[in-house]
């Protein structure tokens, strides 16, 4: 999705996109400003007028706008007018962006950012960061783009600024949209809409309705989506801006495509295309080509669909924008499948699944995760601060009450002292007063100790919560990333088989079925390890230690993998005398030996050997499994047994791994009061050893 750039100039009374042609009143205003500059002695006002003249030109008069901006820049630099110079750079970046000169747009905006930073102008800085994020989003540095949007949000929230806060929210929502996390995207689009509604800016409200409507289409909330798109159309009918009209037509085309009315979808695509022919909107043109290709695919016009989709790919590639390519690859896979070209279909299906494996996708997901954590911590800090202020206020009120009562007591004492014996009563009153002070002092000290204890408990809970959140985040990351990939592949292959029954009679059928089997097995192994791990984490895994012979497990495990070792021609050597007993949980030890031997087989070369060794060390039985396979480097060894660094490595026959097996092995060994160690050399093999108690 294209990022939004908002160029609102505080010193101008226009929006960042003016109408297609200059109206008569705009021409009069420009002529008036030119005449003012002829006799104006204040050079700063001349600079401001030049900037205003540039702002009065639409993007259809970009050359004229840049001409006046250059004049404003030159004069502002000559008279050292920082504000005028920064505002000119700010506008200049927008017009360079309209011309498609992204590098120059970034350079101009960085100059504006530098000057606004020196001036301490947070409002403009928020706008600069938002626009920098949008400019960088055109290229490959998506992480830098997201970081600029987050900076814009942080500054905007701190100063409660509407200049760019709504746009920054929407741009962060766009990254969630790219990750297909539509619920989070909707949350930030609604935040942007709330800001626009608060300040009642019609153009901004219309754009926000377009965004909220679009994401509701993705969430299949079609009724809500149509209502929001219709609201946007009503507002844009008055604004009549070609850029936003193009976006509106594209969103309606998307809606009718998703709801199955391809005729109306085509009509709106044609409307959008006709506008784009007269203006240079490269991102929107790429989006329309992608949608048109999908519509042709649904109409079963496979060759036409492929041609249009290739045009979309070329357009996105020229713009160095890769976020939308994965969905296009998936549609190309369907088109090739429709033409019976199953090898090509399978190739593009695999390319479409590469989104989740992309390092950029992982970096963006991590950056957003850190942003959410910071937002949550900020909300928690605000809540604690408010509670502290309320407690302080309560204490002050209590103190006032105590003081009032004390003054009343003194007053009564004075009155009674006049009537009664002054000396005696004064003595009694003073003694009682001292006792009250001591009691209050002790009470205050006790309350202080309670507050300090509560604060320490809160800090400890916060640290524990952070640790649990880190484990939870990794657990769900494994589920969302590793478990989703096998299902995506199985769904894709199954879809090919269902939609093309004739494939059973082709040479591809066996290859597809083998891929389906390997993917299902990989997913099953991951799910099994995840279930074991989760049971160990929540304490539902029961420990039942007893004495048993280790030889029983070793022989059954070797037998279990007999077919696998036969296929890879691997010989397994076990000790002839192996009648040692251990005191441990039988099922856990069986799981440990099975995972260790499975890894040894997986990473062994064809025709190699594996050795299972046993020895004693005091009251501990040492069981080692040695292979002569691919081995591991030191960096990989350092990451073993750590949930935050799940190690995944394909076997010598491209066998898939989950990265959880060894983590579970370590937990199970430690639950049985044992030890685990590993030695490995890259290219020479690995030696895994566990130690288990031989008696209770």
């Amino acid at each position: 999705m294209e990022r939004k750039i908002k160029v609102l100039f505080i010193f101008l009374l226009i929006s960042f996109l003016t109408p297609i042609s200059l109206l008569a009143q705009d021409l009069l205003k420009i002529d008036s400003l030119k005449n003012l500059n002829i006799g104006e002695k204040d050079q700063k006002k001349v600079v401001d007028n030049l900037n205003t003249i540039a702002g009065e030109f639409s993007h259809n008069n970009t050359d004229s706008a840049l001409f006046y901006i250059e004049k404003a820049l030159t004069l502002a630099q000559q008279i050292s007018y920082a504000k005028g110079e920064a505002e000119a750079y700010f506008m200049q970046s927008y017009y360079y962006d309209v011309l498609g000169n992204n590098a120059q747009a970034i350079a101009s905006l960085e100059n504006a950012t530098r000057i606004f930073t020196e001036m301490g102008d947070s409002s403009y800085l928020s706008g600069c960061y938002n626009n920098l994020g949008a400019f960088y989003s055109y290229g490959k540095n998506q992480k830098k783009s997201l970081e600029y949007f987050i900076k814009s949000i942080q500054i905007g929230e701190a100063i409660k600024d509407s200049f760019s806060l709504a746009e920054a929210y929407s741009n962060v929502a766009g990254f969630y949209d790219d990750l297909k996390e539509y619920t989070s995207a909707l949350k930030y689009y609604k935040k942007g809409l709330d800001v626009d509604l608060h300040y009642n800016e019609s153009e901004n409200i219309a754009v926000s309705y377009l965004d909220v409507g679009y994401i509701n289409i993705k969430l299949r909330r079609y009724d809500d989506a149509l209502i929001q798109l219709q609201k946007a159309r009503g507002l844009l009918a008055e604004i009549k801006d070609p850029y936003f009209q193009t976006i509106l037509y594209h969103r309606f085309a998307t809606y009718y495509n998703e709801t199955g009315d391809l005729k109306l979808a085509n009509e709106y695509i044609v409307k959008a295309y006709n506008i784009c022919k007269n203006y240079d909107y490269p991102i929107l043109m790429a989006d329309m080509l992608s949608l048109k290709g999908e519509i042709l695919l649904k109409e079963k016009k496979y060759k036409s669909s492929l041609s249009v989709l290739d045009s979309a790919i070329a357009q996105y590639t020229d713009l160095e924008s890769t976020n939308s390519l994965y969905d296009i690859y998936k549609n190309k896979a369907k088109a090739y499948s429709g033409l019976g070209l199953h090898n090509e279909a399978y190739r593009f299906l695999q390319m479409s699944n590469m989104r989740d494996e992309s390092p950029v996708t992982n970096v963006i997901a991590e950056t957003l995760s850190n942003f959410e954590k910071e937002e949550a911590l900020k909300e928690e800090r605000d809540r604690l601060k408010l509670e502290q202020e309320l407690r302080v206020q309560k204490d002050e009120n209590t103190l006032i009450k105590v003081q009032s009562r004390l003054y009343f007591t003194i007053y009564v004492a004075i009155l009674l002292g006049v009537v009664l014996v002054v000396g005696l009563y004064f003595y009694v009153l003073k003694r009682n007063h001292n006792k009250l002070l001591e009691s209050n002092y002790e009470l205050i000290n006790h309350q202080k100790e309670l507050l300090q204890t509560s604060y320490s408990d809160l800090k400890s809970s916060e640290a524990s919560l952070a640790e649990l959140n880190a484990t939870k985040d990794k657990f769900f990351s494994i589920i969302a990333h590793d478990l989703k990939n096998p299902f995506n592949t199985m769904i894709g292959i199954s879809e090919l088989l269902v939609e093309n029954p004739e494939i059973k009679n082709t040479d591809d059928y066996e290859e597809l079925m083998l891929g389906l089997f390997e993917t299902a097995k990989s997913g099953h192994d991951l799910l099994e390890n995840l279930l074991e791990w989760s049971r160990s984490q929540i304490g539902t895994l029961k420990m039942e230690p007893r004495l048993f012979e280790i030889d029983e497990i070793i022989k059954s495990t070797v037998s279990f993998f007999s077919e696998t070792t036969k296929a890879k021609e691997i010989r397994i050597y076990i000790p002839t005398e192996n009648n040692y007993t251990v005191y441990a949980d039988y099922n856990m030890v069986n799981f440990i030996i099975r995972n260790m031997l499975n890894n040894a087989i997986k990473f062994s070369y064809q025709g190699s050997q594996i050795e299972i060794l046993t020895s004693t060390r005091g009251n501990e039985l040492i069981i080692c499994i040695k292979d002569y396979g691919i081995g591991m480097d030191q960096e990989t060894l350092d990451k073993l047994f750590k949930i935050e660094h799940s190690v995944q490595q394909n076997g010598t026959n491209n066998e898939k791994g989950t990265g959880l097996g060894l983590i579970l092995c370590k937990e199970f060994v430690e639950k049985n009061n044992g030890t685990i160690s590993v030695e490995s050399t890259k290219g020479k093999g690995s030696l895994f050893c566990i130690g288990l108690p031989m008696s209770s």
Side-chain angles (χ1 to χ4, degrees), residues 34-104:
K34 288 179 181 178
N35 293 331
L36 281 176
N37 275 354
I38 294 175
E40 182 60 64
K41 295 182 180 180
D42 188 340
Q43 295 296 288
K44 290 184 178 181
K45 289 185 178 180
V46 174
V47 172
D48 292 340
N49 289 339
L50 289 170
N51 280 330
T52 305
I53 292 173
E56 289 294 331
F57 285 98
S58 73
H59 57 279
N60 206 30
N61 294 276
T62 303
D63 291 338
S64 297
L66 286 173
F67 171 78
Y68 284 102
I69 289 172
E70 288 293 341
K71 292 185 68 173
L73 274 174
T74 301
L75 180 57
Q77 290 167 351
Q78 289 174 353
I79 64 174
S80 300
Y81 181 28
K83 181 175 180 291
E85 181 183 0
E87 289 171 347
Y89 274 129
F90 191 81
M91 274 198 296
Q92 187 184 57
S93 69
Y94 162 66
Y95 287 110
Y96 276 131
D97 177 59
V98 170
L99 291 173
N101 192 340
N102 192 46
Q104 188 60 53

Side-chain angles (χ1 to χ4, degrees), residues 59 113 134 199 226 277 315 369 393 412 451:
H59 57 279
T113 302
Y199 289 97
L226 183 58
K277 285 194 301 184
Q315 186 87 352
S369 176
Q393 185 63 45
V412 172
L451 284 173

Side-chain angles (χ1 to χ4, degrees), residues 313-359:
I313 290 173
Q315 186 87 352
Y316 282 124
T317 303
D318 289 343
L319 295 168
E320 296 185 342
S321 178
T322 60
N323 291 326
S324 300
L325 292 181
Y326 300 103
D327 292 331
I328 297 178
Y329 293 151
K330 188 171 184 179
N331 284 333
K332 287 195 68 172
K334 292 180 180 179
Y336 277 119
S337 176
L339 293 171
L341 301 175
H342 303 302
N343 285 336
E344 285 297 301
Y346 184 62
R347 182 168 70 89
F348 276 99
L349 181 64
Q350 288 180 315
M351 290 172 65
S352 72
N353 288 333
M354 290 174 63
R355 180 206 304 266
D356 295 328
E357 300 173 4
S358 168

Side-chain angles (χ1 to χ4, degrees), residues 501-525:
E502 67 276 14
I503 203 172
K504 294 182 179 179
N505 301 320
T506 67
D507 295 334
D508 297 328
Y509 181 71
E510 183 176 351
E511 180 182 349
L512 289 173
M513 291 305 294
L514 180 60
L516 189 63
F517 169 75
E518 290 178 350
T519 304
K521 185 176 183 300
S522 173
H524 176 268
D525 291 343

